Amino acid sequence: MWQPNKLEKERVEKVERLEAQGVEAFPRRVQRTHTCAAAIAAYEALEPTDSEAAQGIEVTVCGRIRRANLKGKIAFLHIEDESGRVQLMLRVNDMDEASFALIGEKLVDNDDFVQASGTMMRTKAGEVSVHAREFRLLAKSLSPLPVIKQQTLDDGTVVEHGEFTDVESRYRQRYADLAVNADVRDVFRKRARILKAVRNFFDDEGFLEVETPILQPLYGGAAARPFITHHNQLDQDLFLRISFELYLKRLLVGGYDAVYELGRDFRNEGVSFKHNTEFTMLEFYKAYIDYHEVARLTERFVAAAAMEANGTLQINYQGKAIDFTPPWKRITMREAIREACGIDYMDYPEAAALEAVIRAKKIEVKPGLPWGKLVEHLLGEAVEPNLIQPTFIMDYPRQISPFAKRVDYDDTHVERWEMYMAGMEMANAFTELNDPRDQEARFLDMAKVFREGDDDEVPLDEDYLRAMRYGMPPNGGFGMGMDRLVMLLTNQRSIRDVLLYPHLRHEK
RNA sequence: GGCCCUGUAGCUCAGUGGCAGAGCACCCGCCUUUUAAGCGGAGUGUCGUAGGUUCGAAUCCUACCAGGGUCACCA
């Protein structure tokens, strides 16, 4: 139940006064001939050659009042639409009584949406403005937005005075955050462009964009705990997907050579600056390529997204220079770990011995982890934070990679890489396992290593094996959290700043 | 879940045991080319919530709520 504060009560009273005068505070009909930016552009285009004609340009503009300078019998308002801001000059002599009454009786406030008609002009102070003849209210704002004043310095830079920075309020009331923070609006425009660039890339490469179930009777394709929900009529528990992998690879059995999906994954685990409960994943699978070719595709599509976002392959992310120019560094996991901490994990084929030597290097580790998890932990502790430039870490332990083909040089590793940037894990790819007998053995191996209820539990998916037995072409597959890519390309420190509505606790 | 920090006006913040404060916003008055407009007047409040200590609590203590950071967990 809304409990209006003093400021809000004042605005409600203004609405009541307007309505008592027969003025609609929320009228149905609106007119607009120009956006704010278009009105200014039309004037500036004509002014140098024919300033008289420029002064005659008739416009009707709409927007939200962002600054009001009421000077008695003249008023200057800045209104803002998505294109930008334009100033209105409202002079009592030049307007009908009803239009100016809104100003004179202070019935409009900052944040109201208004419409103004008049001719373009340049004020004595030099600002291109709409010299308003008619002025009307389009929508009253009952709750004031946070006040941010802008000052344009001589060199043209805009300084903002007053801020809206409280993170909880900004995330819970994203609408208010967006309404007052233009740079936040820009982040989400750029996010849209990045995702569109990714789609365009894969469309142009001949991939088919598909949609697979979000509600799944069995989850899989990644090591994560799922959310569980329930279908009432069927009396069936369902999982929210943790990956798209197994459904997408079934499509290769079906005869599509290359598919991708850009959609939401859900993982029931902790949140952090780089984890949100639900996040946007890109996965693609392509027949007749291996993980080396997947890496080359990755370099190309990330570069395309970077160009679309910033027009350059060199970015600054939180003070770190990052260069997306292909080719990126490739190094085996074994070599990367040996370089970073001097441990050759192949010297310690038993988990207990590997755990002991990790501890001897003063790296903390949870006791009793399986061998493959120890290797992964070592990578995360010793190597990952230093992987600033885009880097492919090649050849992962088979024990923690149930969907990747073995390498040809030993039985311990598989053809899998993970790609890192800015010290963050960004992507994961394999030469996909397509031998149903091997796949079944991997499922059974996983069941031995990870018990039911473990975070890493990989349930055996009989239908996936059935699909694979019809014959699956050799293929390379890929998955990447797109939010993290957007973080890099928009220079945002937290995943919450690239999600319009990040996950928060219940509001009390 | 552990630990640390934070919560005071619409916004951003100061106040750390003795009258609840500042800037901007809002309100009243003046102002017909302003632009962080200006001048004059007015402080608008559940000091996150509930207890406790104290003559006296925004301030100290406890619990809780919310947020952030970090660790654990985890693409």
Side-chain angles (χ1 to χ4, degrees):
Chain A
M1 182 68 184
W2 185 43
Q3 302 282 345
N5 63 32
K6 183 172 178 292
L7 279 63
E8 291 169 328
K9 281 177 187 155
E10 286 166 6
R11 292 193 175 187
V12 171
E13 282 162 16
K14 288 182 186 182
V15 171
E16 288 164 354
R17 275 164 58 201
L18 285 164
E19 287 173 344
Q21 296 173 18
V23 177
E24 286 183 288
F26 300 92
R28 287 173 190 76
R29 306 287 174 245
V30 190
Q31 288 185 324
R32 176 161 84 160
T33 62
H34 292 70
T35 64
C36 295
I40 292 171
Y43 179 86
E44 288 184 334
L46 209 49
E47 186 186 37
T49 53
D50 188 346
S51 73
E52 199 171 319
Q55 308 267 348
I57 297 172
E58 290 274 347
V59 301
T60 297
V61 292
C62 299
R64 191 196 277 278
I65 299 175
R66 299 310 307 277
R67 163 181 168 263
N69 182 8
L70 312 183
K71 294 166 55 67
K73 297 194 171 54
I74 190 168
F76 297 90
L77 305 183
H78 277 173
I79 65 167
E80 181 177 69
D81 62 18
E82 194 178 348
S83 74
R85 295 187 179 194
V86 68
Q87 177 168 264
L88 311 180
M89 184 178 85
L90 306 107
R91 228 164 53 130
V92 64
N93 302 29
D94 307 332
M95 306 179 72
D96 63 90
E97 207 172 310
S99 284
F100 196 80
L102 291 171
I103 301 293
E105 295 173 29
K106 296 193 175 174
L107 291 169
V108 290
D109 292 285
N110 275 325
D111 316 319
D112 289 351
F113 286 91
V114 296
Q115 173 186 316
S117 301
T119 50
M120 295 308 295
M121 63 166 300
R122 191 181 283 277
T123 63
K124 282 182 185 170
E127 181 163 351
V128 177
S129 307
V130 177
H131 187 177
R133 192 175 55 250
E134 287 174 35
F135 178 69
R136 55 189 288 254
L137 186 61
L138 291 181
K140 191 75 189 157
S141 160
L142 298 183
S143 298
L145 286 166
V147 179
I148 294 181
K149 289 197 170 187
Q150 292 185 341
Q151 178 181 19
T152 307
L153 301 177
D154 291 342
D155 63 6
T157 56
V158 175
V159 181
E160 295 200 327
H161 302 268
E163 292 175 294
F164 180 49
T165 53
D166 179 75
V167 286
E168 180 182 359
S169 303
R170 284 186 49 230
Y171 295 151
R172 284 201 197 282
Q173 300 189 47
R174 183 65 93 181
Y175 32 88
D177 185 30
L178 292 164
V180 300
N181 290 322
D183 53 338
V184 177
R185 291 203 294 275
D186 289 339
V187 167
F188 293 100
R189 285 200 193 91
K190 202 180 260 190
R191 179 182 172 115
R193 291 215 315 274
I194 291 165
L195 294 180
K196 185 168 283 184
V198 169
R199 279 203 167 88
N200 287 343
F201 179 91
F202 287 100
D203 291 344
D204 292 348
E205 288 287 322
F207 283 75
L208 180 71
E209 180 172 10
V210 297
E211 294 170 283
T212 63
I214 289 173
L215 293 174
Q216 304 180 345
L218 197 62
Y219 66 97
R225 278 156 66 188
F227 285 93
I228 303 172
T229 187
H230 187 78
H231 189 293
N232 289 336
Q233 191 206 359
L234 301 179
D235 190 21
Q236 176 187 18
D237 281 338
L238 291 165
F239 301 98
L240 274 67
R241 65 182 174 188
I242 58 171
S243 84
F244 324 151
E245 171 150 2
L246 301 182
Y247 280 97
L248 290 178
K249 282 192 284 191
R250 284 170 168 99
L251 298 177
L252 300 188
V253 173
Y256 297 114
D257 280 355
V259 295
Y260 76 98
E261 180 165 5
L262 199 46
R264 212 66 68 88
D265 268 343
F266 307 84
R267 298 189 181 177
N268 202 342
E269 49 201 33
V271 297
S272 80
F273 75 95
K274 56 180 172 179
H275 296 88
N276 194 64
T277 305
E278 54 183 285
F279 60 100
T280 297
M281 187 74 157
L282 167 71
E283 290 193 25
F284 70 77
Y285 295 85
K286 184 174 185 184
Y288 317 121
I289 68 172
D290 63 16
Y291 74 150
H292 293 295
E293 287 192 63
V294 172
R296 287 191 281 275
L297 270 172
T298 302
E299 290 169 331
R300 288 174 53 218
F301 96 76
V302 170
M307 284 304 288
E308 176 61 32
N310 299 311
T312 173
L313 296 181
Q314 283 89 37
I315 62 159
N316 182 303
Y317 180 68
Q318 304 290 309
K320 298 167 191 148
I322 296 177
D323 189 346
F324 297 112
T325 307
W328 302 340
K329 184 177 177 183
R330 289 154 170 79
I331 183 172
T332 64
M333 188 177 211
R334 184 178 174 189
E335 190 54 33
I337 290 175
R338 195 161 55 191
E339 270 182 19
C341 65
I343 296 175
D344 183 348
Y345 57 71
M346 293 303 282
D347 292 342
Y348 308 92
E350 298 301 323
L354 184 56
E355 186 181 322
V357 74
I358 290 172
R359 282 185 203 287
K361 293 281 180 187
K362 307 282 189 232
I363 296 170
E364 284 188 32
V365 60
K366 208 166 75 175
L369 288 176
W371 187 85
K373 293 294 287 182
L374 286 170
V375 172
E376 192 179 41
H377 181 76
L378 198 46
L379 183 84
E381 293 297 311
V383 182
E384 178 173 336
N386 301 318
L387 296 175
I388 305 303
Q389 298 307 317
T391 305
F392 295 105
I393 301 290
M394 317 283 295
D395 299 357
Y396 273 59
R398 178 170 56 89
Q399 192 184 39
I400 55 168
S401 312
F403 301 107
K405 264 186 190 165
R406 285 174 172 79
V407 296
D408 57 11
Y409 59 81
D410 73 21
D411 200 40
T412 305
H413 294 90
V414 292
E415 293 200 347
R416 170 187 180 185
W417 53 253
E418 290 194 336
M419 188 269 283
Y420 291 80
M421 296 174 178
M424 266 193 294
E425 182 185 337
M426 300 291 295
N428 184 14
F430 325 130
T431 301
E432 302 288 339
L433 187 56
N434 63 341
D435 176 344
R437 302 162 309 156
D438 193 357
Q439 185 66 69
E440 182 166 18
R442 300 290 189 91
F443 276 131
L444 296 173
D445 286 346
M446 293 304 284
K448 281 182 217 155
V449 178
F450 301 106
R451 284 196 305 274
E452 194 177 330
D454 275 0
D455 297 350
D456 296 280
E457 183 195 1
V458 178
L460 191 150
D461 189 332
E462 288 284 7
D463 179 72
Y464 179 63
L465 292 172
R466 177 168 65 185
M468 203 179 256
R469 283 194 293 268
Y470 284 112
M472 177 185 288
N475 70 95
F478 169 95
M480 179 172 187
M482 298 307 288
D483 311 285
R484 291 184 181 177
L485 179 64
V486 175
M487 283 168 68
L488 287 199
L489 295 179
T490 57
N491 195 23
Q492 298 298 308
R493 201 178 52 80
S494 167
I495 196 169
R496 293 173 172 195
D497 292 317
V498 299
L499 296 167
L500 281 168
Y501 301 104
H503 183 76
L504 300 172
R505 284 180 218 229
H506 283 298
E507 188 173 11
K508 293 265 173 125

